Amino acid sequence: MSHENAAALEKEPVGGLLLRYSMPAIAGMVVFSLYNIVDSVFIGRWVGPLALSGLAVAFPVMNLTFAFGMLVGIGGASICSIRMGRKDMDGAARALGNVVVLNLVASLLFGLLCLAFIDPILLAFGASADTLAHAGDFMRVILLGLPFTYTMFNLNHVMRASGYPRKAMLSAVVTVGFNIALAPLFIYLLGWGMRGAALATVLSQGMGMLWVLRHFRDRESALHFQPGIYRLRADVLRGILSIGLSPFLMNVCACAVVALINIGLGRYGGDLAVGAYGVINRVLMMFVMILMGLTQGMQPIVGYNYGAKRMERVRQALGYGVIAGVSIATFGFLAAECFPRFISSLFTDDAVTIDFATTGMRLSALVFPLVGCQIVIINFFQSIGRAKLSIFLSLTRQLLFLIPGLILFPRFWGLNGIWISIPAADVLAFVTCMGVFAMFRREMRPSGNGAAAGQKEQT
């Protein structure tokens, strides 16, 4: 991190810093979400409603691949910002080198393993005889491109955390621009269908990867590639994996939840209900991704100042983050409640799928504003290295509340029971999150005692 960036993180007004760091990350996430939505629209309208259902079945498998990527990327980015806050630039460089090596190892091992068992995996995640071929065509290409995906996204996290939020945003723009240009060509004009959609995604991520690599090859960058940083070190690995474990477990649980939802929807509504959930998931995930962009912008501010024991600035960043997070989620709530049929009709002209999606969207987003607050607080704990608290809060919604609801509620209310289980879990998870945060607040005193107390979980 340059001296100018470090001085800004220590001294500039927190509100302005959060805006400066978050807006590029949010813009990148919006663009990234839009190209996922555009892919879904292209597939739904040019390949068909069953292909849209196949994409919905592939979604939890994609989440699983991202889970392994975030284990490395989010953990590595947090370690870099915390060590920069301590003025430990050698430690931050070693974290960068370890992220590069772990990217290659994880992408090759996980990709090859999933390729060997892709059909059984998709069937376990809710694929039917009519959707298996669509989902398999998509995922085989995605898995082969994991080295591009992991390198691009994970180094992008490190780029943002090391003080280059605008460059990180531009890498997302480059990726999305190529995807939006290639998807119609491959899916429609060349007639490659699901394989074309996946190939457009992989090739665009490859272009984004080249952009990111160019940044880290530049010796003027605060963190850059250099000899001696690529040897895996036990202390760095522990730090990366302990912090990255929270988003990893959250995504793994999300995979299990989406699989249960797909299976339940297939049982009570059929393949078109599964496709409708794919529409709902894409729409609500766009707002979740915006929230993740907000927390990515908040992460270097919180991580640096927590490492520097400037607790008042940490508290200010969290306060602004919660206000912004709830505002973003409220906007998503209003869109889902007021315009569900219009939004659903953008993805498909199939009347049955639109009806399923309209009802499901309204029920699923009933308490969505609470999700904004919860995501900010979970990622706050992650940013300061409090891995255990972040992991606990990440898992409560999925394991303790949502999965039991998905099993129990449909027995009473059928298809609507699946939709209702989502806001019910959100309410319970929010109450739990606020209770945990209330107990933690005493560590946020300006004296710095909180930083010392949390030191044992940092690396």
Side-chain angles (χ1 to χ4, degrees):
M1 185 177 294
S2 66
H3 293 300
E4 292 81 4
N5 284 331
L9 289 172
E10 287 187 19
K11 297 178 181 178
E12 283 191 14
V14 172
L17 270 178
L18 183 60
L19 189 65
R20 177 152 64 92
Y21 272 77
S22 293
M23 288 308 296
I26 290 172
M29 287 297 184
V30 168
V31 176
F32 177 72
S33 298
L34 285 177
Y35 98 70
N36 276 334
I37 289 174
V38 168
D39 269 357
S40 300
V41 171
F42 290 159
I43 289 170
R45 291 194 168 270
W46 292 342
V47 188
L50 285 177
L52 192 61
S53 300
L55 187 64
V57 170
F59 188 74
V61 185
M62 290 184 66
N63 256 2
L64 194 60
T65 66
F66 282 125
F68 279 91
M70 292 179 76
L71 178 65
V72 176
I74 298 295
S78 295
I79 291 297
C80 285
S81 63
I82 289 172
R83 292 194 171 183
M84 285 178 167
R86 299 174 185 169
K87 308 298 189 294
D88 180 12
M89 295 304 296
D90 289 338
R94 288 194 295 271
L96 168 65
N98 277 230
V99 167
V100 172
V101 175
L102 289 174
N103 278 339
L104 296 176
V105 172
S107 61
L108 292 175
L109 289 180
F110 183 72
L112 293 175
L113 183 63
C114 284
L115 276 172
F117 303 100
I118 188 61
D119 284 352
I121 291 172
L122 290 170
L123 288 170
F125 280 34
S128 69
D130 294 324
T131 60
L132 178 62
H134 291 299
D137 286 347
F138 187 83
M139 283 310 305
R140 286 184 179 90
V141 178
I142 292 294
L143 290 170
L144 287 172
L146 278 187
F148 292 161
T149 303
Y150 280 12
T151 302
M152 184 268 171
F153 280 107
N154 290 343
L155 290 185
N156 204 46
H157 288 311
V158 176
M159 182 193 296
R160 182 179 296 107
S162 59
Y164 298 91
R166 291 183 181 177
K167 274 192 173 182
M169 178 195 70
L170 287 175
S171 66
V173 172
V174 168
T175 302
V176 173
F178 274 97
N179 185 269
I180 291 176
L182 293 176
L185 173 65
F186 291 171
I187 297 171
Y188 182 68
L189 294 178
L190 296 179
W192 292 349
M194 298 292 281
R195 289 191 185 93
L199 184 60
T201 298
V202 168
L203 290 179
S204 65
Q205 289 168 354
M207 296 303 298
M209 179 191 72
L210 294 177
W211 172 277
V212 174
L213 290 177
R214 180 183 178 187
H215 167 80
F216 284 105
R217 290 186 62 191
D218 185 356
R219 300 188 67 83
E220 297 299 317
S221 300
L223 284 182
H224 53 268
F225 298 144
Q226 53 188 288
I229 66 172
Y230 304 105
R231 183 170 62 87
L232 294 178
R233 298 171 58 96
D235 60 325
V236 177
L237 288 177
R238 281 195 301 270
I240 290 175
L241 298 180
S242 65
I243 295 176
L245 194 60
S246 173
F248 169 75
L249 291 176
M250 184 166 60
N251 276 274
V252 168
C253 288
C255 295
V257 166
V258 174
L260 282 175
I261 292 174
N262 285 341
I263 292 169
L265 291 173
R267 179 181 303 155
Y268 291 99
D271 285 333
L272 295 182
V274 175
Y277 177 63
V279 171
I280 296 166
N281 213 356
R282 282 287 194 263
V283 173
L284 295 184
M285 277 301 297
M286 181 179 72
F287 293 99
V288 171
M289 294 295 282
I290 294 172
L291 288 166
M292 295 303 293
L294 169 69
T295 60
Q296 286 176 16
M298 194 175 79
Q299 185 268 325
I301 303 169
V302 170
Y304 185 96
N305 284 285
Y306 194 79
K309 299 184 180 181
R310 297 176 177 270
M311 299 306 296
E312 181 61 29
R313 293 177 65 80
V314 173
R315 291 196 302 167
Q316 289 178 16
L318 175 61
Y320 288 131
V322 169
I323 293 171
V326 172
S327 301
I328 291 166
T330 299
F331 188 78
F333 163 78
L334 293 174
E337 298 301 324
C338 298
F339 309 106
R341 183 168 293 275
F342 170 75
I343 293 171
S344 303
S345 66
L346 297 176
F347 291 81
T348 179
D349 55 7
D350 183 79
V352 176
T353 304
I354 292 173
D355 287 340
F356 281 138
T358 298
T359 301
M361 196 178 301
R362 281 186 171 138
L363 292 175
S364 299
L366 275 176
V367 295
F368 200 60
L370 303 183
V371 175
C373 180
Q374 186 186 5
I375 287 176
V376 170
I377 291 176
I378 288 173
N379 283 274
F380 164 75
F381 284 128
Q382 175 185 301
S383 297
I384 63 174
R386 298 301 297 261
K388 292 179 181 178
L389 288 177
S390 182
I391 291 169
F392 170 74
L393 294 175
S394 298
L395 296 182
T396 50
R397 177 185 182 271
Q398 315 283 6
L399 293 182
L400 297 183
F401 305 134
L402 185 50
I403 289 178
L406 289 171
I407 295 171
L408 181 64
F409 289 0
R411 297 182 181 180
F412 297 97
W413 299 295
L415 183 61
N416 282 343
I418 297 174
W419 305 129
I420 293 170
S421 65
I422 296 172
D426 289 336
V427 170
L428 295 172
F430 173 76
V431 172
T432 303
C433 184
M434 296 311 295
V436 170
F437 181 71
M439 291 187 290
F440 179 79
R441 284 188 65 183
R442 65 181 181 273
E443 298 189 29
M444 298 296 296
R445 290 174 297 190
S447 63
N449 291 340
Q455 205 76 310
K456 61 183 179 182
E457 289 198 49
Q458 291 185 19
T459 302

